Amino acid sequence: MIEIKAPSISDAAAISGLLHALGYPGTESFMERRILQLLSHPDEALFVAADNGKVVGVISLHFMAQLALPGDFCRISYLCVSEDVRGQGIGALLESHAVKFAQQRGCDRIEVHCHARRTDAHRFYNRQAYVESPKYFFKSLVDL
């Protein structure tokens, strides 16, 4: 039975493992601090999917007010499901939970930025009725 819930500090290692599989190694040293930060921030939400207590998926959400539109929007920052259980609907369950949560917060849209190399993820988001928006720009502040 899959349960969607807020994570606890004891889930830090499992979440770090999921992020490592997503291509973000080295999060172990700060994961506990990040979990506490995200859970206490009013414009962030963090959920895990647990299968009999074992964390098998994670989704991180960020909420932003829109200046020109009446509703806020929700951004999926990270969504990852363990390779061991992919294809079992856990990603769809996490995404559905995120949509409901965003609607309860008054959001009128949800978005996700997904790198071009993540073709499997693109198929997943297409199945969840996301529409591609082709331009996205960013500027690294680390290199300035």
Side-chain angles (χ1 to χ4, degrees), residues 82-127:
S82 173
E83 292 182 33
D84 302 353
V85 295
R86 285 190 189 153
Q88 297 180 23
I90 296 168
L93 193 61
L94 282 164
E95 190 275 341
S96 176
H97 185 82
V99 166
K100 290 175 189 160
F101 192 80
Q103 288 171 323
Q104 291 170 356
R105 285 197 45 136
C107 294
D108 61 12
R109 67 183 63 203
I110 190 167
E111 70 173 23
V112 61
H113 296 176
C114 190
H115 195 279
R117 73 177 180 273
R118 299 190 190 279
T119 55
D120 289 341
H122 300 167
R123 286 191 292 278
F124 169 80
Y125 289 117
N126 284 330
R127 286 192 306 271

